[in-house]
Amino acid sequence: GENVEQHPSTLSVQEGDSAVIKCTYSDSASNYFPWYKQELGKRPQLIIDIRSNVGEKKDQRIAVTLNKTAKHFSLHITETQPEDSAVYFCAATYSWGKLQFGAGTQVVVTP
Amino acid sequence: GAVVSQHPSRVICKSGTSVKIECRSLDFQATTMFWYRQFPKQSLMLMATSNEGSKATYEQGVEKDKFLINHASLTLSTLTVTSAHPEDSSFYICSARGGRERYTDTQYFGPGTRLTVL
């Protein structure tokens, strides 16, 4: 199966600074890598995703990079705001589209 | 966008009873639905994959006789926790895949069901 490792487990940043979360995966057949944001007690919400035929994707303050050779992908949030505080999960597909999630990163943005 | 609903949002039951959770895709036909369980401060753990009209496939370690899944239509999947015990208390979340997007591998999540077994 797939193994996804995510770091760091917690990340504290000052408002306006950037936040970077890194994930590695094990299955070279994985071809889809979504990132989800989950607030306490709420559903995971897709914030950005990237497919294996692309190395980088950006959506306003959020960007994701993918290095297939090294099997790692990263989430970058610029100009962080207090509302960015949440748990962020990376994931990678395996076995007919199932998702293996990372352990999550608790991001705290302090004003 | 792709909207997934889940009902109930919260349920408290006595040990030994059964609980049914519904997951619906509201504005698209879900070829596949997934059921996850999430314990406090932990990640999402896949329990089973549900395809319309066929038997669900369960992940290793998940008891299929305890967690009954029925995917009766392209918009509805149900999870029944049978003979629930306190250790089954958790946040159960469904996701649905399939829609009008070019790529159908994107999973959209329901709001989750908080199950508490007394």
Side-chain angles (χ1 to χ4, degrees):
Chain A
E2 173 73 280
N3 183 42
V4 176
E5 294 194 357
Q6 182 172 346
H7 299 280
S9 57
T10 59
L11 181 59
S12 293
V13 296
Q14 290 282 335
E15 182 178 359
D17 288 348
S18 296
V20 180
I21 304 170
K22 297 183 178 182
C23 289
T24 60
Y25 62 98
S26 62
D27 189 347
S28 57
S30 294
N31 59 7
Y32 175 62
F33 308 90
W35 286 88
Y36 288 89
K37 174 184 179 181
Q38 187 180 30
E39 297 177 1
L40 189 62
K42 302 280 183 71
R43 77 181 83 197
Q45 289 195 307
L46 180 70
I47 57 171
I48 197 166
D49 56 13
I50 191 166
R51 289 180 170 83
S52 58
N53 57 344
V54 175
E56 185 174 356
K57 184 177 177 181
K58 189 173 181 180
D59 182 3
Q60 298 184 335
R61 296 186 297 109
I62 296 173
V64 57
T65 58
L66 170 65
N67 183 327
K68 282 216 74 180
T69 303
K71 295 201 192 81
H72 66 70
F73 56 115
S74 301
L75 177 72
H76 303 252
I77 306 174
T78 58
E79 301 172 27
T80 54
Q81 301 167 4
E83 50 266 37
D84 294 329
S85 297
V87 178
Y88 291 79
F89 292 100
C90 64
T93 51
Y94 72 104
S95 186
W96 302 102
K98 298 182 198 179
L99 285 178
Q100 179 66 51
F101 283 83
T105 297
Q106 174 75 63
V107 174
V108 178
V109 181
T110 53
Chain B
V3 180
V4 178
S5 71
Q6 201 170 327
H7 180 80
S9 58
R10 187 178 295 269
V11 59
I12 301 173
C13 69
K14 292 182 178 180
S15 186
T17 59
S18 294
V19 175
K20 180 186 279 190
I21 303 169
E22 290 187 350
C23 178
R24 294 181 185 271
S25 57
L26 298 185
D27 55 356
F28 68 102
Q29 293 186 325
T31 53
T32 305
M33 288 184 172
F34 302 88
W35 288 95
Y36 295 84
R37 182 166 53 182
Q38 186 177 34
F39 291 107
K41 297 188 183 301
Q42 293 189 22
S43 188
L44 288 84
M45 298 300 296
L46 179 65
M47 299 174 66
T49 302
S50 169
N51 291 295
E52 185 265 340
S54 61
K55 288 185 178 180
T57 56
Y58 291 80
E59 295 301 299
Q60 193 171 9
V62 178
E63 300 175 58
K64 63 179 181 180
D65 294 331
K66 182 169 183 61
F67 299 100
L68 301 179
I69 292 172
N70 184 11
H71 195 152
S73 75
L74 283 172
T75 59
L76 173 64
S77 176
T78 60
L79 168 68
T80 301
V81 183
T82 62
S83 187
H85 288 96
E87 56 266 30
D88 298 323
S89 299
S90 188
F91 192 48
Y92 291 86
I93 316 176
C94 70
S95 72
R97 187 182 72 190
R100 292 184 289 274
E101 297 89 1
R102 178 181 176 185
Y103 298 101
T104 58
D105 48 9
T106 303
Q107 291 186 29
Y108 297 95
F109 284 84
T113 297
R114 175 75 58 193
L115 171 63
T116 303
V117 184
L118 303 176

